[in-house]
Amino acid sequence: METLLINEQFVSQFKYWREGQVRTGMRFRRNLFEHVSKFNHHQRHHAFDLAWKLAQAGRESIVTATSDSYTIWVNLRVVNPAALPSWSNPGLEVGAFEPTSPGLVPLEAVLSA
């Protein structure tokens, strides 16, 4: 799985509520991504190392860049539907999310490695 490097001016960021907290997300093309980590421009190798680890774990990731930082994002479509909030929301189609595949490594495990 390849990791894209995109100029941050070409993505749209937004805020959303998940697991009791406001999180930062971004939209690129037709996909939604969750913010994972941010590195300054001197830590470029750390940013790409994390993106590579995520890709090796089966997580689609994108790196966005500004003149002074690199931000790592993971695709929100790789969400286990059982982990979604249990309230009834007629506008939310749980079927739109792809279930986590059996061989997928949880994001927390990749970040702690």
Side-chain angles (χ1 to χ4, degrees), residues 14-104:
F14 60 91
K15 299 289 185 185
Y16 67 101
W17 182 264
R18 182 170 162 202
E19 297 175 0
Q21 57 185 272
V22 176
R23 298 185 181 216
T24 302
M26 70 94 166
R27 180 177 57 84
F28 179 69
R29 295 186 180 149
R30 294 181 148 178
N31 293 300
L32 301 176
F33 293 82
E34 177 179 13
H35 175 266
V36 174
S37 191
K38 189 171 193 167
F39 299 90
N40 68 43
H41 67 282
H42 296 295
Q43 298 174 310
R44 178 184 173 143
H45 61 285
H46 292 297
F48 283 93
D49 183 56
L50 176 56
W52 180 82
K53 287 178 182 176
L54 289 165
Q56 293 301 306
R59 303 297 302 259
E60 179 185 0
S61 62
I62 286 182
V63 178
T64 57
T66 65
S67 61
D68 62 350
S69 67
Y70 295 91
T71 305
I72 311 299
W73 309 85
V74 291
N75 196 323
L76 278 172
R77 288 187 186 250
V78 184
V79 173
N80 183 345
L84 292 174
S86 59
W87 69 80
S88 175
N89 182 345
L92 177 67
E93 296 181 51
V94 174
F97 293 95
E98 299 170 10
T100 304
S101 66
L104 193 66

